Amino acid sequence: MKEIFKKYSKVGYRVILFLLAAGTVLYVLPRQGKFRYEYSQGKLWRHETLMAPFDFPVYKSQSELKIEKDLILQNLKPYFIDDETIGQKAVENFITDFNLNIDKMSEQFPFIENFIRSKNKMQISIIENKCVELLQNIYQQGLIEIPDEIPDINSFEVIMVVKNNFAMPYEAENLFNYQTAYKSITSALIDYITNILKIKQDDAEGFISQLHLNKYLKVNLLYNEERTESEKQNILKNISLTSGLIIAGQRIIDTGEIINEDTGKILDSLKMEYESRLGKGRGAVYILLGQTALIVVLFVLTFFFIYVFRKKVYDSFASVCFLMLVTVLMVILAWFVQTFEKMSLYIIPFAILPLIVRIFLDSRLAFFFHVVIMLMCALFSSNSFEFIVLQIPIGIVAIVSLYRMVRRSQLLKSAFLIILTYSLIYTGLALWQEGDITRINLKMYGHFAINGSFMLLVYPLIYIFERTFGFLSDVTLVELSDTNHPLLRKLAENSPGTFQHSIQVANLAQEAVYKIGANPLLVRAGAMYHDIGKMDTPMFFTENQAGGINPHKEISFEESSKAIIYHVESGAKMANKSNIPTQIIDFIKTHHGTTKTKFFYNSYINKFNCEPKDISAFTYPGPSPFTKETAVLMMADSVEAASRSIKVYTNEEIDNLVERIINDQIADNQFINSPITFKDIAIIKDTFKSKLKNIYHTRIEYPTIKK
């Protein structure tokens, strides 16, 4: 009963996960219809003759609307408010200051002193009244200062001035600014004083400069930004978005006809109207049903692909979660970008998806998911055909260009190749569709450059996904294999013989794994750590014994065997404590499988002439190897250790050693859980023989100098 529950719960969890992912994708899909025809201006209409299915307006293009808006806005009249209190206050301030300072100015200007002595106040009043008259005239006509928000006043013939809540047109050429107002009032005063009061021009100019009339010139026509913007929006609202009407049943285009600018505008209008109508009423329900069917089919195909062809991935719930997460994230990213009009789908680094999946899982699965997700994301594109044609090859380039990522320079190379591929495919597609190189949209190349630069996000994403889902990337394997890793440095210091043995095993195993198509970086990292447990009791292992000291001479065979076996358990504990990935710890646990400590086991039988009562004392706890890499390491470890006991290194001795050890492991059923084949084993044997012969090749004796 428990097994049945376990079996169906395993399927149930994965089905729920797929349903959640499919539901999320379906939720963010655009709820508008999809025009059934793909077309491009300047190309032939390859579909059947198209008749208008209903009445619809022909919408103006964006360029047409822009030109029309620019023409209308050129005639827009800015609005200003006439603040009468500013002019009144300025005149009052002038009168007050004039009467206060006239006596002081008499000391500087004799003609003023003469007016005061002769008690001819009328002459002074004439000057004062003339100044007031000129100031009032300035404010009546209007003193204006143009803000930065609008063009120079000279670009307008007429402006609108609001007085008492009524807007009246003012001719712009009759308005004053600071410079023209001051020039007008001073020149009029000079003429008036010299002609009426018969005063010298130099005296008149000096007197007027001392009046500081610029202090009383204030802007009284204030720019009304809110009213101007309101009028602008009212004008823009009245712009017609259409330039004609197509009647239902009217022929739009025939098969084989070239799509010109006018026909393209009609087709664009039909597409816009068609998609908007489909998204309403009963059409919205059908759209949802269609999208549901499409998404369900894609996710069902994905589920069965993993179940049938990638059983190992299916069995790993973390891997399934990872695949569903990256699927949903890519679709959500496409949805987010398309909500902004000025952003393009082509800036999204879709190639990250196959790269990440390839790094953690495998290339075929990466390409499959790339195709499926691009089909989903194409629903957000205005030109699905172009989108798919561009994105599918990019996935291939990403997978091929970054087969194994062990150096950062590979990522830069991959980003460059992706940008180049995007550019070449788009250029070819544009030339085919447009038939004119001048019509290519150069902005697309900028989008591709941004896309490529985002590829550098792969590096931090690898770390995040590794930590989240327990994956192991080639980058991490390279870091773990570095002999400067703290745990390996400790091994080199405490157990130098074991450290050298680990390096030799790593070299043997890596070379063999290359030949059978497994992961060489994984087996090398596993080999470097497989014997770290020997650091606890290094002197119990022959490679670390020096000076003839052998602690096994003082204890029983059972105790010696337990001491040797303990290095597996000890190594796993050390690795866990140092946060070594579980995939590497698997090598520690399986490198002896469930074999026996043959030296002590055979010694016991030879001495006591019987089997030991507790055979478990001489048996490693296992498990036996369950991957190609762990199986190869087990072979390499045993062969390398045994090769040190050969007394005379000959080709025949090495061949016999390799054959005997690996055949014994096969006979002991150590590889029954590993997907390794007899062909693989034959290749591994040949590789080991070749490597060992190179290591222990015969050297010539160097001659000595005869005396």
Side-chain angles (χ1 to χ4, degrees), residues 474-701:
D474 290 344
V475 176
T476 301
L477 289 174
V478 171
E479 292 173 353
L480 287 171
S481 300
D482 185 357
T483 54
N484 287 312
H485 188 283
L487 205 54
L488 295 181
R489 289 303 310 148
K490 187 177 178 182
L491 177 65
E493 291 172 7
N494 296 346
S495 308
T498 301
F499 179 73
Q500 292 302 322
H501 161 70
S502 298
I503 292 175
Q504 293 297 334
V505 171
N507 292 336
L508 279 176
Q510 186 174 19
E511 190 65 28
V513 161
Y514 268 122
K515 300 288 181 63
I516 64 172
N519 190 336
L521 295 176
L522 176 60
V523 79
R524 182 170 191 84
M528 295 302 295
Y529 290 87
H530 80 284
D531 269 345
I532 58 172
K534 292 181 179 180
M535 284 190 288
D536 267 355
T537 53
M539 294 306 293
F540 276 86
F541 302 91
T542 55
E543 67 266 24
N544 300 312
Q545 292 172 359
I549 300 173
N550 186 355
H552 291 290
K553 293 179 180 180
E554 309 298 327
I555 58 178
S556 66
F557 296 131
E558 291 92 335
E559 290 173 325
S560 293
S561 182
K562 288 179 181 179
I564 295 296
I565 291 172
Y566 180 70
H567 86 275
V568 174
E569 180 185 346
S570 175
K573 289 179 179 178
M574 284 184 188
N576 271 315
K577 189 175 180 181
S578 299
N579 295 318
I580 300 299
T582 56
Q583 295 91 329
I584 304 301
I585 297 175
D586 288 338
F587 286 91
I588 299 174
K589 293 179 178 179
T590 62
H591 74 279
H592 285 294
T594 55
T595 60
K596 297 179 178 64
T597 53
K598 285 192 175 181
F599 180 86
F600 299 108
Y601 177 74
N602 293 341
S603 297
Y604 182 95
I605 293 176
N606 291 335
K607 182 176 180 179
F608 298 105
N609 200 25
C610 66
E611 288 278 341
K613 293 179 181 180
D614 183 12
I615 200 170
S616 63
F618 297 91
T619 306
Y620 285 97
S624 57
F626 49 83
T627 64
K628 283 187 176 183
E629 291 82 3
T630 52
V632 170
L633 178 68
M634 183 181 194
M635 299 179 202
D637 180 46
S638 299
V639 166
E640 201 284 331
S643 69
R644 296 171 180 267
S645 64
I646 297 178
K647 296 178 180 179
V648 180
Y649 290 101
T650 63
N651 290 347
E652 186 179 357
E653 282 291 329
I654 291 173
D655 290 346
N656 291 337
L657 175 75
V658 172
E659 290 288 343
R660 176 172 53 80
I661 288 177
I662 295 179
N663 289 340
D664 285 349
Q665 291 173 337
I666 294 172
D668 201 19
N669 294 324
Q670 294 302 310
F671 306 131
I672 59 173
N673 296 323
S674 172
I676 202 162
T677 65
F678 283 114
K679 182 180 179 180
D680 292 334
I681 292 174
I683 294 172
I684 293 165
K685 286 179 178 179
D686 290 340
T687 305
F688 286 171
K689 292 172 186 177
S690 176
K691 290 289 289 183
L692 289 174
K693 288 171 186 177
N694 288 332
I695 294 171
Y696 299 115
H697 66 274
T698 305
R699 293 175 173 82
I700 63 171
E701 183 179 353

Side-chain angles (χ1 to χ4, degrees), residues 5 23 30 187 270 311 341 345 350 394 427 443 447 515 519 565 575 598 613 623 678 704:
F5 175 78
S187 60
L270 174 59
K311 192 69 175 175
E341 288 186 12
L345 282 177
F350 289 112
I394 290 303
T427 302
K443 288 183 180 179
H447 296 157
K515 300 288 181 63
N519 190 336
I565 291 172
K598 285 192 175 181
K613 293 179 181 180
F678 283 114
T704 58

Side-chain angles (χ1 to χ4, degrees), residues 419 422-424 426-428 430 440-451:
I419 295 172
Y422 263 129
S423 302
L424 290 175
Y426 173 72
T427 302
I440 293 177
N441 185 1
L442 298 180
K443 288 183 180 179
M444 292 292 287
Y445 298 104
H447 296 157
F448 299 149
I450 295 171
N451 186 308

Side-chain angles (χ1 to χ4, degrees), residues 201-353:
Q201 185 169 344
D202 290 343
D203 291 337
E205 290 176 355
F207 172 70
I208 291 169
S209 67
Q210 291 300 314
L211 292 177
H212 300 295
L213 294 173
N214 59 302
K215 288 170 51 179
Y216 312 105
L217 296 175
K218 305 290 183 182
V219 173
N220 69 317
L221 298 183
L222 307 174
Y223 178 59
N224 190 342
E225 183 179 3
E226 183 179 351
R227 179 71 179 271
T228 304
E229 185 63 27
S230 175
E231 289 297 323
K232 176 183 175 181
Q233 295 304 321
N234 288 335
I235 292 173
L236 294 178
K237 284 180 183 178
N238 294 326
I239 295 176
S240 174
L241 300 178
T242 63
S243 59
L245 181 69
I246 301 297
I247 307 300
Q250 182 176 336
R251 185 189 65 80
I252 296 175
I253 192 169
D254 288 326
T255 304
E257 185 177 337
I258 294 177
I259 304 171
N260 57 31
E261 187 175 350
D262 292 335
T263 310
K265 190 163 64 174
I266 294 172
L267 289 171
D268 290 341
S269 302
L270 174 59
K271 179 180 178 181
M272 188 185 305
E273 193 71 17
Y274 184 84
E275 291 180 348
S276 63
R277 289 194 181 196
L278 281 180
K280 298 175 182 177
R282 184 179 294 179
V285 177
Y286 290 136
I287 288 172
L288 181 59
L289 288 174
Q291 290 177 341
T292 302
L294 178 61
I295 297 303
V296 166
V297 167
L298 290 175
F299 273 93
V300 168
L301 289 174
T302 302
F303 181 89
F304 281 106
F305 178 86
I306 297 173
Y307 181 79
V308 175
F309 297 106
R310 293 295 181 271
K311 192 69 175 175
K312 187 176 178 181
V313 174
Y314 174 82
D315 290 337
S316 170
F317 189 69
S319 297
V320 177
C321 286
F322 163 70
L323 291 172
M324 292 300 99
L325 178 64
V326 294
T327 300
V328 170
L329 286 178
M330 278 297 175
V331 175
I332 289 178
L333 189 58
W335 163 78
F336 177 76
V337 168
Q338 65 87 35
T339 57
F340 298 91
E341 288 186 12
K342 294 184 179 180
M343 292 181 71
S344 169
L345 282 177
Y346 293 108
I347 68 171
I348 301 176
F350 289 112
I352 282 181
L353 168 71

